[in-house]
Amino acid sequence: GSLAEQIERRIQALREQPSSFHKYSFLRDLQDANETLFYALLVHNIEEMLPLVYTPTVGEGCQRFSEIWRKPRGLFLSYPNKDRIGQIVSHSRYDNVKCIVVSDGERILGLGDQGAGGMGIPIGKMALYTALGGIHPEHCLPVLLDVGTDNEDRLKSPIYIGWRHHRVRGEEYDDFVDVFVNSVKKRWPHALLQWEDFAGSNAARLLARYKDQLCTFNDDIQGTAAVAVATLLSAINVTGVPLEQQKIVVFGFGTAGIGIANMLVQLMYDKGIPKEEARNCFYAIDRYGLVRENGKDVRPEQLPYARREQEVRDWKLPDGDITLLDVVRHARPTVLI
């Protein structure tokens, strides 16, 4: 029958699936069997499909990736093949690649280390490149850098498809990523390389290292930030209170939170406000409450936003963390992110 009829048939079959995860699995199979139909289904039912193809269902898809893995999709580059990456990507089937989404599976959504199962993220994100961005699937390459996993459940599973080894870290890890990036630069000098769901410390470091070497961005740091900043600017257009007069609480100060704050500070700086003054608009709250100078577990990239102890010493009970409620009471913020 016509494409419209096929869509109708598949959408009925999809809606009869017993759970979101079954729907996710159904759609992954459809993508492998009939890509044209998969994207037609997606584009014509985008609001219903997005939560199935990507967040939140993709999380369970990553956790159970090995269970439903039937056909190869995307490129798994595992650490033992480090010396063969150039040769692997040279295959003619990759001639038309223009966009790459890469993860190492260490910090999948809020679920942590999923090892090779993290490939669900690049596959899902690339599906959005096509469905929402209109980029032809043959231009899209999902990549998983398999440097092992510290997730014992994955390592113990007899059907786990990844490299059974604890995560490679430190200099060996950096060298492996470097081999990958250099292979990309050589094979596809004009490609876009998007980093997705790396651990916080690696995410910022790798972006800083490679941002001037090729067309690249980290979605968790910059993509999320771009949307948050756009939203806030729209609100400011309505309220009329300029950005530098806002008091901004960022609740959750990991990769995305820091990325949002940095982009807002950059925006104020572009308007002529010194960065230190701009940072003073922010109250960052993480797992131990308000981020402060001598606080518990403050990461180097969080430090520029840490509040001075003398400023906040009356905000809490002795020896307690400063909570969101304490910050709202004392700082009277105007924005909550």
Side-chain angles (χ1 to χ4, degrees):
S2 68
L3 188 58
E5 284 166 32
Q6 291 179 56
I7 291 171
E8 192 51 45
R9 225 175 263 126
R10 289 293 83 192
I11 196 90
Q12 284 184 21
L14 177 79
R15 286 172 183 155
E16 283 165 11
Q17 297 296 317
S19 71
S20 292
F21 175 69
H22 284 91
K23 290 175 181 175
Y24 171 85
S25 182
F26 175 94
L27 287 166
R28 282 284 316 281
D29 278 351
L30 181 60
Q31 187 178 10
D32 289 338
N34 186 338
E35 209 162 44
T36 304
L37 185 53
F38 169 77
Y39 284 113
L41 195 65
L42 220 57
V43 170
H44 287 100
N45 304 277
I46 202 79
E47 287 180 28
E48 185 178 347
M49 294 300 169
L50 279 185
L52 300 173
V53 172
Y54 207 63
T55 322
T57 317
V58 72
E60 193 175 349
C62 290
Q63 289 174 304
R64 301 174 64 179
F65 192 87
S66 298
E67 287 175 44
I68 60 168
W69 189 81
R70 285 188 269 282
K71 268 185 81 172
R73 173 172 289 277
L75 191 52
F76 291 85
L77 299 173
S78 59
Y79 189 79
N81 289 325
K82 179 181 171 183
D83 300 329
R84 294 183 48 221
I85 291 179
Q87 179 200 340
I88 292 168
V89 301
S90 69
H91 195 289
S92 60
R93 75 164 72 105
Y94 305 124
D95 285 353
N96 295 324
V97 168
K98 294 181 182 177
C99 308
I100 296 166
V101 175
V102 63
S103 182
D104 69 351
E106 188 170 6
R107 191 218 57 111
I108 298 297
L109 307 173
L111 303 167
D113 188 344
Q114 298 302 325
M119 180 56 117
I121 293 289
I123 289 174
K125 187 56 62 100
M126 297 250 81
L128 304 191
Y129 269 56
T130 301
L132 304 175
I135 296 169
H136 196 284
E138 72 169 350
H139 298 321
C140 299
L141 180 64
V143 176
L144 193 283
L145 301 179
D146 186 358
V147 292
T149 179
D150 290 337
N151 184 325
E152 295 302 328
D153 290 344
R154 299 295 160 270
L155 291 171
K156 285 201 289 256
S157 165
I159 58 169
Y160 176 58
I161 63 164
W163 180 45
R164 281 172 205 278
H165 195 283
H166 282 109
R167 267 188 190 274
V168 174
R169 300 197 179 275
E171 208 176 316
E172 283 92 354
Y173 174 82
D174 286 0
D175 289 349
F176 180 72
V177 173
D178 208 51
V179 169
F180 166 67
V181 173
N182 284 316
S183 302
V184 169
K185 288 198 307 199
K186 202 170 151 193
R187 176 72 163 100
W188 306 285
H190 304 297
L192 163 71
L193 177 64
Q194 170 182 332
W195 308 84
E196 187 91 36
D197 283 355
F198 284 71
S201 49
N202 287 332
R205 246 171 12 93
L206 294 172
L207 182 63
R209 175 176 309 161
Y210 296 115
K211 66 179 184 185
D212 298 326
Q213 293 189 31
L214 70 168
C215 175
T216 190
F217 79 107
N218 180 300
D219 196 43
D220 306 290
I221 296 174
Q222 294 158 298
T224 308
V227 174
V229 170
T231 307
L232 187 48
L233 288 179
S234 299
I236 284 170
N237 285 341
V238 177
T239 64
V241 179
L243 185 58
E244 61 274 16
Q245 286 175 29
Q246 304 282 347
K247 287 184 178 177
I248 302 167
V249 171
V250 186
F251 189 74
F253 210 55
T255 316
I258 296 168
I260 293 167
N262 286 346
M263 195 176 279
L264 286 165
V265 166
Q266 183 63 43
L267 201 67
M268 293 187 222
Y269 179 74
D270 293 346
K271 289 172 76 175
I273 291 140
K275 285 199 171 176
E276 200 155 322
E277 198 182 311
R279 287 193 193 103
N280 202 39
C281 299
F282 290 85
Y283 297 85
I285 298 176
D286 210 31
R287 58 201 294 191
Y288 301 113
L290 183 69
V291 176
R292 11 189 247 277
E293 275 175 334
N294 308 321
K296 219 182 326 184
D297 271 6
V298 179
R299 301 213 304 265
E301 56 264 40
Q302 295 175 327
L303 255 183
Y305 295 94
R307 306 303 299 201
R308 293 196 178 80
E309 296 294 341
Q310 66 262 34
E311 177 201 356
V312 299
R313 64 164 174 252
D314 304 331
W315 290 18
K316 62 171 163 75
L317 301 163
D319 306 324
D321 296 331
I322 298 177
T323 66
L324 175 60
L325 185 58
D326 298 325
V327 173
V328 170
R329 280 190 179 131
H330 290 92
R332 301 273 173 202
T334 58
V335 176
L336 174 63
I337 295 176

